[in-house]
Amino acid sequence: MARRPSPPRSAASSQEVTDEQLDAYIRTRLALAGVDLSVLPDDDEDAPADQRRIMASARRFLRSTPGAIADFEFDPMGPAPAIYPAEVSAWNRG
């Protein structure tokens, strides 16, 4: 089984991650998943998707979302997390 690459260091770490580092990480992860961005146009605003927009979106995601997920604190003494909290609250009504 191929080893997955580690994500680049977050912006909160001691050094800022460059676009080039993120691009290499993104392209490697996509290649491991069998996705080839080279079949898309480089930069075409009339196309539904192009390499420039996909890479920019992936960089924004990696710079924001993983930090929020890593910072999430689960309260082990609190209620169990639920996929559909509204349904759980309906079950708990007395």
Side-chain angles (χ1 to χ4, degrees):
M1 177 179 243
R3 184 168 182 231
R4 291 184 177 168
S6 298
R9 302 183 87 178
S10 72
S13 69
S14 61
Q15 53 183 265
E16 182 69 28
V17 177
T18 67
D19 284 353
E20 293 78 21
Q21 290 170 317
L22 283 175
D23 288 353
Y25 175 73
I26 293 163
R27 289 189 186 280
T28 300
R29 290 300 302 258
L30 290 174
L32 288 172
V35 176
D36 180 10
L37 289 183
S38 70
V39 300
L40 297 174
D42 288 328
D43 187 2
D44 181 357
E45 63 185 52
D46 293 328
D50 60 36
Q51 292 181 46
R52 180 191 58 79
R53 285 182 281 166
I54 289 174
M55 294 301 290
S57 177
R59 284 191 301 270
R60 277 191 306 274
F61 173 82
L62 287 171
R63 285 193 167 116
S64 63
T65 307
I69 293 169
D71 293 341
F72 176 76
E73 291 187 26
F74 176 72
D75 180 5
M77 300 307 288
I83 296 174
Y84 303 104
E87 291 181 15
V88 172
S89 64
W91 293 336
N92 292 330
R93 288 185 198 157

